Amino acid sequence: MHRQRVVLVTGANQGIGLQIAKELAAKSFTVLVGSRDFARGEAAAKTIEGDARALQLDVTDKASIAAAAKRIREELGRLDVLVNNAAISNTSKRPGQSVEDYAKLTRASNVSLDEVRAVWETNVFGALAVYQAMLPLLREAKEARIVNVSSGAGSLTRCADPAYPYRAIFGPVYPASKTALNAMSLAMAIELGSTGIKVNACSPGFTKTNLNGYAGTETVEQGAREAVRLALLGPDGPTGTFSHATLGTLPW
Ligand code: NAP
């Protein structure tokens, strides 16, 4: 059996996922760098100090998920941490179009259902499908952890408050996909409540990455912080929470 703890980070070829991978490799994890494009995963793995291995994984592709789980079982025998990080913000925002203009074109009344489906396919169903495929491997670990990288933009409590500054951009595509991911996180935590497996969701904060055209204000180090903390939770740590590195617990 492989000695080092093993973590799979989905969408780890760039951005916050790559930073999470780097930090867990520095903590002596064997890191599986999930990437839908294997070559980009390999290039990313080369930038990580420690045991980092590229793993082809498209979270919307059943065969890719099954092949990834098979490889992990054969090569490593178990998974200690799963970080569901892969996500997309849209498929149809035009270059240069503001977030506010995109939000106006994607209200509940006028959004293309294809756009909603495409984003939810990655952010919600992708995370759930990876959870289902990896759970048998997580059950092989002594005290596995699951971290779902969500967003404060998905908090219904915050967005229901008329004073919340980002309420205007809450819509059915990305923000609601993160609300649904939060629901999946809680469902997973409840399912696994009697096991040693802890499931928590986090918000990275507005981070400078490809997802937002590098408009974010936080560094990837800041964005990765809470996910890394939750990946390393000890046996007394919580399960079924939603949190941010400096804001603490966030309302669902
Ligand atoms: P990013 O740099 O765009 O990274 C997203 C990653 O997800 C990329 O590696 C991307 O792969 C991957 N991905 C997309 N679709 C995939 C699929 N079908 N299968 C596998 N991988 C897929 O964005 P990021 O900001 O680091 O995002 C990381 C997480 O943080 C996401 O869950 C995001 O929602 C969350 N988040 C980010 C912010 C922010 O301000 N940046 C705020 C709140 C939450 P490719 O390189 O192939 O596209």
Side-chain angles (χ1 to χ4, degrees), residues 26 33 36 45 50 70 106 119 131 149 152 162-163 174 195 208 218 234 240 246:
V33 180
R36 53 182 162 177
K70 183 168 182 278
T106 54
V119 171
Y131 167 79
V149 182
Y174 179 82
T195 72
K208 207 177 259 304
E218 308 286 299
T246 55

Side-chain angles (χ1 to χ4, degrees), residues 24-204:
L24 293 177
K27 299 267 182 208
S28 303
F29 274 80
T30 289
V31 179
L32 298 165
V33 180
S35 177
R36 53 182 162 177
D37 179 323
F38 184 69
R40 292 183 64 205
E42 273 192 312
K46 284 198 184 116
T47 69
I48 299 174
E49 262 178 57
D51 186 6
R53 309 175 188 189
L55 179 72
Q56 198 284 328
L57 180 55
D58 180 336
V59 304
T60 64
D61 179 348
K62 251 184 180 172
S64 165
I65 297 170
K70 183 168 182 278
R71 181 181 148 193
I72 299 170
R73 179 160 300 280
E74 287 171 1
E75 200 171 302
L76 300 159
R78 65 163 203 288
L79 198 55
D80 296 273
V81 179
L82 167 64
V83 183
N84 278 313
N85 166 78
I88 55 174
S89 54
N90 68 85
T91 66
S92 66
K93 187 167 156 301
R94 293 192 314 274
Q97 187 178 35
S98 71
V99 171
E100 290 74 18
D101 283 347
Y102 171 79
K104 279 184 203 148
L105 295 173
T106 54
R107 299 273 186 230
S109 62
N110 60 358
V111 68
S112 137
L113 284 180
D114 287 342
E115 177 77 348
V116 179
R117 285 195 183 101
V119 171
W120 284 52
E121 199 58 58
T122 301
N123 300 6
V124 185
F125 303 119
L128 185 61
V130 171
Y131 167 79
Q132 292 185 348
M134 300 302 160
L135 190 56
L137 289 158
L138 291 158
R139 289 190 193 276
E140 300 282 350
K142 247 186 28 214
E143 39 181 42
R145 304 286 177 255
I146 299 171
V147 181
N148 292 320
V149 182
S150 182
S151 168
S155 165
L156 287 181
T157 306
R158 279 171 149 191
C159 293
D161 176 359
Y164 183 56
Y166 301 111
R167 175 182 162 97
I169 57 166
F170 185 84
V173 186
Y174 179 82
S177 78
K178 292 299 186 177
T179 310
L181 178 64
N182 284 351
M184 295 301 170
S185 297
L186 196 56
M188 293 170 193
I190 290 169
E191 176 180 18
L192 299 176
S194 61
T195 72
I197 306 176
K198 297 182 192 298
V199 187
N200 292 289
C202 66
S203 165

